[in-house]
Amino acid sequence: MPDAVLILPCPAALPAFRAALERGWSPTTVRAEPARQALLRRLAEDAEAVLREMEDPDGSGPPVVLPDGTAVPRLPGITRWIWDAAAGEDGFCGTISLRWQAGTEVLPPHVLGHVGYVLVPERRGLGHATVALRALLPEARRRGLRWVELVTDPGNLASQRVIGRCGGILVERFRKTASHGGAEALRFRIPTPALPPS
């Protein structure tokens, strides 16, 4: 397995994150290019605010704008940067995020899964996503989630393999809400590991 770790977004690692954005990578697959450009503008205006929003376990950040332009309240969530420890300061591999509602695994209909991840193109296919997802599962359990859901497009076989390697099972084939375009999607569920007694 690769020498990948999850790190808290921080000023020291920000240059590598910004460089990935400047090369054309986007941390979302939904409206990727507008999101990438908006994030670069926001980093230029107030990078500290961007970093703060990536660690928002209370959901106190600004509303989330859905692909159809609808604004909805932000859920509690955290983002971690996937980092290749062997690559030093150039180790940025992508992001993985966890979002949830307190006290339940149920998500609002407009939220497509608890976990989302996007790797930079040059780091795909090397096992980084599998390592990152496995590392995030205990954090989900600490947040009270007995399981997490992930949603993929039917044609995204690489992501389906990552989910399967992490213990995910297909629970349904469904249509996304109209706010997400109404396309067909697959929903997977992964149990989170029990935590050792404290």
Side-chain angles (χ1 to χ4, degrees):
M1 288 305 258
D3 195 13
V5 295
L6 301 185
I7 67 168
L8 190 69
C10 61
L14 187 57
F17 176 70
R18 189 190 314 263
L21 290 166
E22 290 170 346
R23 288 192 307 270
W25 170 82
S26 178
T28 180
T29 58
V30 179
R31 300 182 69 240
E33 183 57 19
R36 181 186 78 84
Q37 292 177 9
L39 187 50
L40 279 169
R41 282 192 301 275
R42 292 191 61 232
L43 283 170
E45 294 165 4
D46 191 349
E48 288 183 11
V50 172
L51 293 177
R52 281 194 305 273
E53 288 172 16
M54 292 184 184
E55 184 69 15
D56 189 9
D58 301 319
S60 58
V64 174
V65 179
L66 299 178
D68 70 351
T70 306
V72 295
R74 183 174 296 274
L75 289 183
I78 58 171
T79 296
R80 298 292 178 259
W81 288 348
I82 306 167
W83 203 267
D84 183 344
E89 62 187 31
D90 295 323
F92 181 77
C93 298
T95 60
I96 187 166
S97 300
L98 173 69
R99 51 205 166 253
W100 67 91
Q101 290 195 115
T104 180
E105 285 84 11
V106 177
L107 292 168
H110 63 269
V111 178
L112 296 178
H114 296 96
V115 177
Y117 54 87
V118 184
L119 271 67
V120 296
E122 61 269 23
R123 304 284 186 166
R124 293 177 188 156
L126 302 175
H128 295 300
T130 301
V131 170
L133 181 53
R134 282 186 182 141
L136 191 69
L137 293 174
E139 181 64 34
R141 187 62 171 230
R142 283 190 284 278
R143 303 290 178 174
L145 299 172
R146 295 166 298 170
W147 42 263
V148 294
E149 290 182 345
L150 296 92
V151 172
T152 73
D153 293 334
N156 189 344
L157 300 180
S159 191
Q160 291 168 41
R161 285 191 292 271
V162 168
I163 294 166
R165 285 193 290 264
C166 292
I169 57 167
L170 178 65
V171 293
E172 71 171 331
R173 183 179 290 264
F174 71 103
R175 291 218 165 263
K176 296 176 185 176
T177 61
S179 63
H180 282 282
E184 189 175 50
L186 304 176
R187 188 183 318 276
F188 293 84
R189 186 173 290 174
I190 304 176
T192 57
L195 299 174
S198 53

